[in-house]
């Protein structure tokens, strides 16, 4: 999609922004241009993508929430405690919290919100963050009629009982899908949402912008800015032009423009960067032909000059990966080296695996930039090692479906964490319980790996859990259960009059409630 003209709303914003550079007291609207696709819905139950998850975080609260640095904070629950066996969590709700329409929050709203997400008649959402709750999965599958793990002994207390201990459970409750909604929802709740969050919906002009007004009665204090506008700008060059004209306050810097933004002092002074919990990788379907041999998978790893791809095609925005756990998370091993670029070694491994004349494979990717260019570079590197790759590029939905069905040899993907924990990389991407639709499109299976991750999920002691994460990551890396390429760094340009902005480590970690518009 591209635009041939700037909407009238953008023109008005542009004029206001340009005036604001000189008279900052006139600025009351913050404009964010990070999203290039429309939210799927504004209903938390349908939160399956980043634009939707971000918007839901503005409008709603969960029992817990993420800070910009991805730490877990108290949300609607002012405190909570876990039982000694790790099976029961008791959440104590904040007093006097109101929904946007004035209704008071009660514990029953939490219970009913979770039931709504898990209802077997619901469509289009993903209830898996709530599956650890006793009988939640069975309820969602229609095999039981109640969720025994949910109870509300009074209006201010929610008790959640789990199927088994899960130390990361409070992190799951900070995900958008676990947001709390009122009862008696309207028929068009996804277009006319009512939450408890710091922002209220004013207007949603599809594929153009979503406009929010601050919630004056927010329990955490009203946002400093009167209005927040989330612009949807599919074309990166358009977003850059609007930022340079003052119509946009926050810009996601396109990868191919990284060098130009870093090359001048004026532009460089506006840049804000932080490591994201985002892994770029190649799914390697270990069930297909020669890929069942670990020597072939290691040959692929040695054949690709990942550093050059990172530097040339993504502006050097990231660090090479030697495992699937990002460096900022507990469990990452900073001492382990990535697979070295070594064509001779790759050819030797292929010959040892019985393929002295090379092999033929398909490499799939979506058509979303910059994936096609990365795939083309990988194709050239692999060819030098005797790995002849045919590129298959389709729309994202078609590629995702083919990978989940096991119809793909290699697939170039990125994984953006749902919550800040090593488990969110190890479990969905590599555990055998998640083959296909669960995220493990490599169809990797190793009993020792599975046991390590399962033990880590249940382990309540931090040091012991981190040690298990490290062991599992090391094992999968040696096996090339998937081929990790690099961890990504987010890079934003922020106007000088924006104060208090922090680059969010997790996608729904920046709610703009503490950001203000002041003097440059």
């Amino acid at each position: 999609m591209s635009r041939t003209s700037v909407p009238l709303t953008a023109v008005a914003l542009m004029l206001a922004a340009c005036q604001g550079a000189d008279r900052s007291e006139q600025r009351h609207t913050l404009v964010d241009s990070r999203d290039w696709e429309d939210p799927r819905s504004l209903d938390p139950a349908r939160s399956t993508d980043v634009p939707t998850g971000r918007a839901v975080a503005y409008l709603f609260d969960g029992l817990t929430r993420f800070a910009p640095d991805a730490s877990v904070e108290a949300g609607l629950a002012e405190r909570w405690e876990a039982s000694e066996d790790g099976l029961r969590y008791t959440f104590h709700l904040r007093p006097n919290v109101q929904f946007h329409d004035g209704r008071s929050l009660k514990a029953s709203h939490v219970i009913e919100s979770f039931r709504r997400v898990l209802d077997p008649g619901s469509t289009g959402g993903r209830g898996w963050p709530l599956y650890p709750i006793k009988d939640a999965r069975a309820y969602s599958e229609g095999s039981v009629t109640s969720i025994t793990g949910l109870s509300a002994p009074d209006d201010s207390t929610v008790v959640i009982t789990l199927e088994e201990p899960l130390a990361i459970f409070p992190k799951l409750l900070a995900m958008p899908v676990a947001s709390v909604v009122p009862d008696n929802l309207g028929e068009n709740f996804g277009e006319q949402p009512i939450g408890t969050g710091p922002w209220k919906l004013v207007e949603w002009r599809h594929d153009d912008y979503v406009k929010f007004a601050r919630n004056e009665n927010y329990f955490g204090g009203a946002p400093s800015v009167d209005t927040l506008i989330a612009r949807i700008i599919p074309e990166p060059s358009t977003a850059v032009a609007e930022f340079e004209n003052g119509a946009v306050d926050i810009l996601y810097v396109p990868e191919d423009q990284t060098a130009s933004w870093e090359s001048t002092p004026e532009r460089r002074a506006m840049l804000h960067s932080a490591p994201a919990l985002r892994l770029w990788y190649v799914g390697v379907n270990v069930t297909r032909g020669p890929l069942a041999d670990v020597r072939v998978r290691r040959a692929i790893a040695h054949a690709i000059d990942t550093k050059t791809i990172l530097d040339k095609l993504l502006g050097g925005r990231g660090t090479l990966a030697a495992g699937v756990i990002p460096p900022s998370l507990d469990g990452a091993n900073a001492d382990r080296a990535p697979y070295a670029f070594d064509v001779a070694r790759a050819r030797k491994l292929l010959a040892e695996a019985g393929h002295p004349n090379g092999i033929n494979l398909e490499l799939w990717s979506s058509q979303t930039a910059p994936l096609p260019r990365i795939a083309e570079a990988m194709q050239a590197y692999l060819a030098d090692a005797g790995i002849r790759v045919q590129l298959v590029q389709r729309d994202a939905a078609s590629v995702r479906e083919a990978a989940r069905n096991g119809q793909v040899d290699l697939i170039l993907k990125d994984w953006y964490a749902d919550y800040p924990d090593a488990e969110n990389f190890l479990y969905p991407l590599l555990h055998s319980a998640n083959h296909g639709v669960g995220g493990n499109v490599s169809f990797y299976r190793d009993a020792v790996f599975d046991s390590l991750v399962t033990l880590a999920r249940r382990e309540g002691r931090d040091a012991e859990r981190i040690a298990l994460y490290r062991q599992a990551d090391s094992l999968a890396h040696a096996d090339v259960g998937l081929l990790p390429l690099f961890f990504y760094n987010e890079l934003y340009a922020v106007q000088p009059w924006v104060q208090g902005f922090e680059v969010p480590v997790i996608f729904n970690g920046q709610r703009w409630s503490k950001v203000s518009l002041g003097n440059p």
Side-chain angles (χ1 to χ4, degrees), residues 433-496:
N434 294 308
H435 281 176
V437 69
N440 182 356
V441 295
S442 292
F443 293 85
Y444 176 70
R445 181 188 298 273
D446 183 89
V448 176
F449 175 88
D450 284 356
S451 66
L452 289 169
V453 175
T454 300
L455 286 171
R457 284 165 57 86
R458 297 171 178 168
E459 179 57 66
R461 296 167 297 180
D462 290 344
E464 286 78 359
R465 185 171 65 256
I466 292 166
L468 291 167
Y469 285 159
R470 279 175 170 254
Q471 293 177 56
D473 193 33
S474 178
L475 191 158
H477 185 64
D479 272 356
V480 196
L482 57 77
L483 175 56
L485 299 174
F486 34 78
F487 298 108
Y488 194 67
N489 286 348
E490 302 280 8
L491 184 65
Y492 298 115
V494 181
Q495 298 286 13

Side-chain angles (χ1 to χ4, degrees), residues 21 37 125 140 159 180-181 204 212 232 290 339 343 354 391 436 450 498:
E37 292 180 347
S140 72
V159 178
V180 178
V181 303
W204 182 5
F212 308 89
I232 296 103
Y339 281 95
V343 176
L391 299 183
D450 284 356
V498 176

Side-chain angles (χ1 to χ4, degrees), residues 72-271:
V72 177
E73 297 182 331
L76 293 176
E78 62 181 355
R79 70 184 193 283
W80 62 89
E81 58 265 356
S83 61
E84 190 171 339
D85 61 7
L87 287 173
R88 188 177 65 257
Y89 283 81
T90 303
F91 294 89
H92 305 277
L93 302 185
R94 297 177 186 271
N96 305 318
V97 175
Q98 293 185 335
F99 289 98
H100 296 155
D101 60 2
R103 283 181 278 177
S104 296
L105 171 74
K106 298 179 181 179
S108 59
H109 291 125
V110 180
I111 305 296
E112 291 306 315
S113 294
F114 290 3
R115 283 180 181 156
R116 177 173 177 264
V117 168
L118 294 164
D119 191 313
S122 65
T123 60
R126 55 174 187 174
W128 65 261
L130 302 177
Y131 284 175
I133 300 171
K134 188 173 178 59
D135 285 335
R137 184 192 290 266
Y139 180 81
S140 72
E141 294 170 349
S143 58
V144 300
T145 58
S146 63
I147 305 172
T148 59
L150 292 174
S151 65
D154 56 55
D155 284 347
S156 61
T157 308
V158 176
V159 178
I160 300 178
T161 304
L162 306 184
E163 294 278 3
E164 62 181 23
L166 183 62
I168 63 169
F169 184 64
K171 296 181 180 181
L172 299 183
L173 296 181
M175 293 176 60
V177 74
S179 300
V180 178
V181 303
D183 49 15
N184 300 318
L185 304 183
E187 293 183 2
N188 200 20
F189 188 69
E191 297 276 339
Q192 299 173 341
I194 297 172
T196 60
W199 300 95
K200 300 178 181 182
L201 179 67
V202 175
E203 181 184 16
W204 182 5
R205 183 169 293 183
H206 287 278
D207 298 312
D208 191 353
Y209 64 83
V210 188
K211 184 177 181 181
F212 308 89
R214 69 176 176 180
N215 177 7
E216 298 287 355
N217 299 317
Y218 186 56
F219 63 82
S224 301
V225 179
D226 290 345
T227 306
L228 168 66
I229 293 180
R231 291 289 311 283
I232 296 103
I233 306 178
E235 178 55 52
S237 62
T238 302
V240 171
E242 293 200 23
F243 181 88
E244 291 176 336
N245 286 329
V248 161
D249 295 310
I250 311 292
L251 170 73
Y252 179 87
V253 177
E255 287 84 1
D256 60 0
Q257 294 196 26
T258 302
S260 66
W261 278 88
E262 293 178 339
S263 62
T264 63
E266 294 80 7
R267 279 186 154 195
R268 191 165 57 247
M270 292 188 284
L271 295 181

